[in-house]
Amino acid sequence: FYKTGSSAAEPFFNPDDLIEKQALKDLGQKWQAYVEQGIWKVTGHDFWTSCYAFYHLPTLPSAQELFNDMKRSDLWIFKGDLNYRKLVYDCQWPITTPFKEAIGPLGSREDVPSLVSFRTCKADVVVGLKPGVGEKMNTIDKNWMVNGEYAVISFKP
């Protein structure tokens, strides 16, 4: 765990640093090329803003085309607290519950590729922690799960 938004350290990205500015521009161009070459695909679907958790993605009739399209990928990338909570069914799992277990059918199906979730903690739903980590975090900051100052990256191979 690392605290996000720390004002004690120098900024993560310094827009006045020409090397950093060029590196960010190069990264943007590389990512744009991935989209243009079809390596990355960015799409929209009503499922993303529906009330359904991602548990429902494989079986929801209105999402079958989306799910079948997504299965052709090598990696699914999710970002944000709400997407994380929809991945783990927004349940009060024990924090040591393996991420692969908490994501239900997306963690156990052979036809689902690897997936990663980047999330700043803003709700008291966290999984995949090693034993003792939650207790240690509670001694550092009792609001670590909800204050938006800590983050988790979760991966299912």
Side-chain angles (χ1 to χ4, degrees), residues 13 15 18-31:
F13 173 72
L18 295 179
I19 293 173
E20 288 188 29
K21 192 181 252 184
Q22 185 60 48
L24 186 59
K25 182 179 179 182
D26 292 345
L27 183 63
Q29 289 173 340
K30 179 183 270 189
W31 288 1

Side-chain angles (χ1 to χ4, degrees), residues 75-101:
L75 175 68
W76 295 356
I77 302 171
F78 294 93
K79 178 233 169 254
D81 184 70
L82 179 58
N83 283 325
Y84 179 89
R85 289 171 29 221
K86 288 179 83 169
L87 276 167
V88 301
Y89 213 71
D90 209 4
C91 291
Q92 291 292 318
W93 298 96
I95 60 177
T96 56
T97 303
F99 180 67
K100 184 176 178 177
E101 179 182 328

Side-chain angles (χ1 to χ4, degrees), residues 4-41:
T4 61
S6 174
S7 59
E10 58 183 67
F12 177 74
F13 173 72
N14 180 352
D16 297 324
D17 184 315
L18 295 179
I19 293 173
E20 288 188 29
K21 192 181 252 184
Q22 185 60 48
L24 186 59
K25 182 179 179 182
D26 292 345
L27 183 63
Q29 289 173 340
K30 179 183 270 189
W31 288 1
Q32 182 64 39
Y34 288 166
V35 172
E36 290 169 357
Q37 296 166 10
I39 295 169
W40 285 3
K41 184 175 181 180

